[in-house]
Amino acid sequence: MDHVDAVVIGAGQAGLSTAHHLGRLDVGQVVLDAGDHPGGAWRERWPSLRLGAVHGIHDLPGLPLGEVDTARPAAEVVGEYFARYERTFALPVHRPVRVRAVRDGGQRLLVETAERTWAARAVVNATGTWENPFLPHYPGRDRFAGRQLHTADYRSAEEFRGERVLVVGGGISAVEHLVELAGIASTTWVTRRPPELSAAEFTPERGRAAVAEVERRVRAGLPPGSVVSATGLPPTPAVRRAEELGVLHRRPMFERITPGGVVWPDGTAEEVDVILWATGFRPVLGHLAPLRLRAPGGGIQLDGTRAVAEPRLHLVGYGPSASTIGANRAGRAAAREIRSLIT
C-alpha cells in the first residue's frame, strides 16, 4: 500500500487544474488517469470535430494553449496541449490506471486499483462524464430494427451517407451532428424542450444565475443538472453554421419508437434508418459507491467542492464546476482546502 497526501482521479481539465494547484502548495500527490494518453474526454471526440467548431477551450492555469490551427481535430490539439501541460509542470500522472473503488480506511481514504492501493489523506474526484453516456428510455426503443448510437460512439458523418437520421437532443453536440450530416444524410431534429438559440438573450448575469442554480442543487444533495442546458445554446461556430444551413428545424419528441422509425404524438409515423442519441452524459461516480455519499435527493451533497458526508473527498468538474472555467476555479479551491486539511 502506497501512502500519499492526495490522490487526484482523472487527468482531464479538472484533474490537471487541481494537480497544478496542489503542486504549487507542495502537497504530495499522484494523479490516476484511466486513459492511455493525455487529453481526457477530448481524446474520445470524433475525428471530424475540428477545433474551430467547438465553443472554445479555456486555458489551464499557468500555461496558455496559444495559437493553434483551428482546422485540426479537437481531439489531437487538446491531447497535445494536455500532454505539454503534464510535462511542463512535471505532474505525477499514472496511466492507464482505472480506480475500482474508494473506501474509508479510517485515518485515510483507500483508493483501490488493479495494481495497488493508495492510502490518501484526501481524494479529488475529477472523472467527468464521458464514460457514462445517458440513453433515455422510450417505448419501443429495444425493438428498433435500424442502428442506434450515442454521441460517445459517433465517429464520422460518412457512415450515414444517404440515410435518414433522427438526431435526438437539444445540446451543442446535437447541433454539431446536424452540421456534419447536412448534405450527406436526411436529418430530423427532435428535442424535449424548444432550444434557446438567441445569442442576444444570453448575458453573463444569466450564466451566473444558471451556475448558482446548479450550486443550490448540489448543496441540497440533488442531482446537479447541466449548466449548459440551463443557459441555452451559446453562439458557437457550429450553431451559426447550422443556422446558415437551415438544419435547426426542431420537432417535439416522438411518442414511441417502432421497428422502422418513430410515431409522433398526433399518430403520424416517420421512417428512419438511424437514431443518434445526443442526450448527454451523467457523472462517473460508481467507484465512490463504497463511501455511501448519496443524499436522499439522489445526488452528492457538496459544500463548495467538498463532500458533506466525507470531508476528505472533493468533487471537481461536477455540478457548478462542470465548465472549463469552473473546473479551473474549483481546482484551486479544492487544493487550498486540502492543504489546510493536512497541515
Side-chain angles (χ1 to χ4, degrees):
M1 186 178 296
D2 295 287
H3 288 68
V4 68
D5 286 335
V7 171
V8 179
I9 307 173
Q13 179 104 17
L16 294 181
S17 171
T18 305
H20 169 78
H21 290 295
L22 286 171
R24 292 191 56 164
L25 294 173
D26 295 322
V27 176
Q29 62 172 318
V30 293
V31 182
L32 308 180
D33 187 55
D36 293 325
H37 305 283
W42 284 99
R43 273 287 189 184
E44 307 303 322
R45 299 297 182 97
W46 53 98
S48 55
L49 178 63
R50 306 296 164 172
L51 187 68
V54 303
H55 187 48
I57 300 167
H58 195 70
D59 289 340
L60 285 162
L63 184 68
L65 173 61
E67 294 294 327
V68 293
D69 181 359
T70 58
R72 294 184 60 205
E76 291 182 7
V77 174
V78 179
E80 292 168 3
Y81 175 43
F82 283 13
R84 178 161 54 96
Y85 194 83
E86 292 178 14
R87 292 193 304 270
T88 299
F89 296 105
L91 299 180
V93 181
H94 298 240
R95 65 165 56 88
V97 177
R98 184 172 297 278
V99 173
R100 293 178 170 178
V102 180
R103 305 181 189 277
D104 184 354
Q107 292 185 341
R108 291 175 179 257
L109 292 174
L110 305 181
V111 182
E112 299 177 359
T113 74
E115 295 78 17
R116 65 181 71 176
T117 295
W118 299 88
R121 298 172 70 183
V123 172
V124 177
N125 191 78
T127 47
T129 62
W130 187 264
E131 293 186 356
N132 192 17
F134 173 65
L135 283 171
H137 174 75
Y138 274 91
R141 195 187 76 187
D142 295 338
R143 296 190 297 113
F144 182 62
R147 181 183 178 188
Q148 294 188 70
L149 72 161
H150 190 273
T151 291
D153 308 307
Y154 178 91
R155 307 308 295 166
S156 169
E158 281 296 328
E159 299 178 35
F160 312 105
R161 181 170 290 278
E163 295 189 304
R164 299 162 296 184
V165 182
L166 190 72
V167 179
V168 185
I172 192 62
S173 292
V175 176
E176 289 166 348
H177 295 325
L178 290 167
V179 169
E180 289 199 3
L181 291 165
I184 293 177
S186 171
T187 59
T188 301
W189 184 32
V190 296
T191 68
R192 286 193 301 119
R193 295 184 296 271
E196 298 182 35
L197 296 168
S198 175
E201 296 179 3
F202 182 81
T203 63
E205 290 76 16
R206 182 179 169 192
R208 285 192 290 270
V211 171
E213 170 59 18
V214 176
E215 185 172 7
R216 182 196 67 79
R217 291 181 61 83
V218 298
R219 282 183 176 274
L222 300 171
S226 167
V227 173
V228 174
S229 66
T231 59
L233 286 170
T236 67
V239 170
R240 292 193 293 268
R241 181 60 178 154
E243 290 175 323
E244 293 171 1
L245 293 170
V247 295
L248 295 183
H249 298 296
R250 170 258 180 189
R251 295 197 63 174
M253 286 301 296
F254 43 82
E255 186 175 81
R256 68 182 187 277
I257 301 172
T258 67
V262 296
V263 176
W264 305 105
D266 64 3
T268 60
E270 180 173 345
E271 295 185 353
V272 299
D273 303 301
V274 179
I275 301 177
L276 176 51
W277 298 95
T279 44
F281 301 79
R282 296 293 183 266
V284 178
L285 302 172
H287 54 287
L288 302 180
L291 297 177
R292 301 183 182 275
L293 302 172
R294 295 286 184 182
I300 296 178
Q301 187 177 12
L302 299 185
D303 181 3
T305 62
R306 177 170 44 83
V308 172
E310 175 46 80
R312 296 170 293 181
L313 175 72
H314 291 258
L315 276 69
V316 179
Y318 174 86
S321 65
S323 67
T324 56
I325 296 177
N328 282 357
R329 294 171 178 168
R332 181 175 63 244
R336 288 174 176 174
E337 285 204 35
I338 290 170
R339 176 61 179 171
S340 297
L341 173 70
I342 66 176
T343 54

